[in-house]
């Protein structure tokens, strides 16, 4: 009987650390793919997202490229694979931080004439990545709050 109780308690501990993604898992997967596509499109001037990530295009767009890549792509993929509740919270909070970075990044490109920064406006890849990270942050927040 003690073994059965120990197995049930272990099962409860394991379930309490995981989240059930359901249909949201597919939506999150598609959004991660959209972020990857956004990295291949123009962000700043003639530079695509991955070039901005490695340092071309200014520090504010580089910060957004880094947070959207680390949180939006890498952490989301890890959270999807492991289904850990704590990683869902990391993706939710990090996603909202990346949303703010995206706003600042777009704003820095719209006002680049004032400070001499690269780019004459945000590229389509930056806008797509920003919209994708907003929806991704919403999905992760809903997932993180869905735990019973």
């Amino acid at each position: 009987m003690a073994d059965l109780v120990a197995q049930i308690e272990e099962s409860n501990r394991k379930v309490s650390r995981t989240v059930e993604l359901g249909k949201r898992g597919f939506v999150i997967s598609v959004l991660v793919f959209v972020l990857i596509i956004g990295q291949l499109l123009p962000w700043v001037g003639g530079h695509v997202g991955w070039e901005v990530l490695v340092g071309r295009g200014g520090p504010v767009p580089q910060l957004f490229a880094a947070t959207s890549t680390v949180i939006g792509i890498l952490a989301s993929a890890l959270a999807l694979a492991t289904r850990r509740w704590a990683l869902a919270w990391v993706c939710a909070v990090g996603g909202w931080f990346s949303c703010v970075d995206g706003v600042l990044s777009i704003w820095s490109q719209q006002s680049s004439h004032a400070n001499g920064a690269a780019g004459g406006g945000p590229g389509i890849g930056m806008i797509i990545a920003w919209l994708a990270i907003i929806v991704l942050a919403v999905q992760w927040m809903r997932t993180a709050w869905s735990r019973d």
Side-chain angles (χ1 to χ4, degrees):
M1 189 65 157
D3 288 338
L4 181 60
V5 170
Q7 287 177 355
I8 291 171
E9 287 176 1
E10 177 63 30
S11 174
N12 283 340
R13 277 192 297 276
K14 185 176 180 181
V15 167
S16 70
R17 291 181 288 180
T18 61
V19 292
E20 186 59 43
L21 295 169
K23 293 177 186 175
R24 239 180 259 148
F26 177 74
V27 172
I28 290 169
S29 299
V30 169
L31 290 167
V32 169
F33 181 72
V34 169
L35 276 173
I36 292 170
I37 296 300
Q39 290 289 336
L40 302 174
L41 295 172
W43 276 43
V44 175
H47 303 296
V48 296
W50 66 268
E51 290 176 329
V52 174
L53 181 63
V54 297
R56 299 179 188 151
V60 178
Q62 184 181 15
L63 180 63
F64 176 54
T67 58
S68 65
T69 300
V70 170
I71 297 297
I73 297 173
L74 300 176
S76 290
L78 187 61
L80 284 170
T82 62
R83 297 180 344 158
R84 293 289 183 191
W85 183 69
L87 281 174
W89 272 109
V90 167
C91 290
V93 174
W96 287 113
F97 180 78
S98 187
C99 290
V100 173
D101 287 347
V103 169
L104 292 174
S105 181
I106 290 170
W107 174 74
S108 75
Q109 293 306 300
Q110 290 174 335
S111 61
S112 65
H113 300 295
N115 62 9
I124 189 69
M126 183 186 290
I127 293 169
I128 288 172
W130 179 61
L131 293 173
I133 200 74
I134 290 171
V135 178
L136 191 62
V138 168
Q139 294 300 315
W140 279 121
M141 189 61 74
R142 291 178 68 196
T143 301
W145 279 109
S146 70
R147 183 175 160 195
D148 293 334

